[in-house]
Amino acid sequence: MVYTEFHGKGVHMKKIKEACKLAGISKRTLQYYDDVGILPAERAIGNERLYSRESLNRLVKILIYKKGGLKLEEIKSVIGLPEEAETHFLEEHIRNLNKEKREIDKQIKFTEFIIIKGIPEFDFEADNEEFITLLEQVERLKKRVCDDNGSDVI
């Protein structure tokens, strides 16, 4: 792909159509990134968006961070940080993903338990002193299933 040179700038810039093709994303996505300030574009005469090599390198980071599960607001806050702070932010993101993964693993284990054992009977007649809501009963069941192998729960 050839960079389009715009006179007066002395810098090779890509028009939005070229940048979209190179990035594999829509024109609207690039416009949105510009609108929210995550990927500011230069402007040509006629207000056409232009992207420098530096902008395209920034776009690579945006695409990588999106595939890594970061939201645009998170990307916007991290992308301009010094490298050490950026690394710290990404390490924290990994910790959060691992926490979510552990919760998903528990949900899978609990759902597999229900498939194997079925929906258990719950106490609808508890008196006021021993009253436990159905939600609390389900949460206790999930905790017992997920804290051990669940074989003796029902």
Side-chain angles (χ1 to χ4, degrees), residues 47-113:
N47 209 28
E48 182 176 18
R49 288 176 168 93
L50 304 173
Y51 297 90
S52 67
R53 182 170 296 279
E54 182 181 328
S55 295
L56 295 173
N57 285 331
R58 185 177 177 103
L59 179 58
V60 168
K61 270 187 162 182
I62 293 166
L63 296 174
I64 286 171
Y65 290 162
K66 281 193 59 67
K67 287 298 178 188
L70 292 172
K71 297 177 179 95
L72 280 182
E73 281 303 312
E74 293 171 314
I75 295 170
K76 189 175 180 180
S77 67
V78 73
I79 204 160
L81 295 176
E83 187 175 337
E84 187 176 310
E86 191 172 329
T87 299
H88 177 72
F89 184 93
L90 293 174
E91 289 168 345
E92 182 65 27
H93 177 64
I94 289 169
R95 284 189 288 278
N96 290 335
L97 288 174
N98 280 320
K99 184 178 176 182
E100 289 175 25
K101 182 179 180 258
R102 286 189 298 274
E103 184 56 35
I104 290 170
D105 288 342
K106 287 179 182 180
Q107 292 170 353
I108 290 169
K109 184 176 182 177
F110 185 61
T111 304
E112 289 171 339
F113 173 84

Side-chain angles (χ1 to χ4, degrees), residues 23-55:
I25 60 177
S26 71
K27 180 178 177 181
R28 183 63 201 122
T29 298
L30 277 182
Q31 291 169 335
Y32 181 73
Y33 289 171
D34 186 16
D35 292 344
V36 298
I38 196 169
L39 185 67
E42 301 269 339
R43 299 295 179 130
I45 297 172
N47 209 28
E48 182 176 18
R49 288 176 168 93
L50 304 173
Y51 297 90
S52 67
R53 182 170 296 279
E54 182 181 328
S55 295

